[in-house]
Amino acid sequence: MLSGAITPQDISILVVYSNQFKPKRGDKCIYFEGLPKGSWIRIYDISGHLIKESQDQEAIWKWDVHDNYGKLVDSGIYIYIVTMEEGLKRIGNMAVIR
């Protein structure tokens, strides 16, 4: 687990796992580790619809694969965008396999 303050130049240490998320394997969450304080996390489906967003104050954020309304998301590819307070961004993708 990370400790201490994360600075903007540290965005390269962001790790997203379990990627591929498989509940049959026992996965409970997708973890975003190494977040700079105050980062915005936005998750979109492959069509570009916003599925989940959160502003996190911790170095680790757990996504329980529910959308903003509490509904479990379907199997598919999802895009994440992490935006830091300074405007720097990190973009990636992840898979949910049910």
Side-chain angles (χ1 to χ4, degrees):
M1 186 170 211
L2 295 174
S3 61
I6 305 296
T7 59
Q9 62 269 23
D10 293 332
I11 191 65
S12 64
I13 67 170
L14 176 66
V15 177
V16 179
Y17 63 94
S18 295
N19 186 8
Q20 305 171 338
F21 176 85
K22 297 179 183 178
K24 290 182 181 178
R25 175 175 62 193
D27 295 340
K28 304 276 188 235
C29 295
I30 296 176
Y31 297 88
F32 290 71
E33 186 170 335
L35 289 166
K37 185 177 180 178
S39 296
W40 276 97
I41 301 116
R42 291 181 178 90
I43 299 172
Y44 299 86
D45 66 16
I46 200 71
S47 299
H49 298 105
L50 180 65
I51 300 300
K52 182 73 175 181
E53 76 179 327
S54 176
Q55 184 176 27
D56 205 72
Q57 299 299 319
E58 303 295 328
I60 297 177
W61 180 68
K62 297 181 226 177
W63 180 40
D64 62 2
V65 297
H66 286 78
D67 65 14
N68 281 329
Y69 304 102
K71 180 181 177 256
L72 276 171
V73 300
D74 294 328
S75 291
I77 303 295
Y78 293 86
I79 311 301
Y80 65 84
I81 301 175
V82 176
T83 307
M84 294 171 287
E85 291 176 337
E86 296 79 10
L88 298 172
K89 292 183 181 180
R90 172 91 179 264
I91 301 170
N93 61 53
M94 57 199 154
V96 173
I97 301 170
R98 298 222 176 262

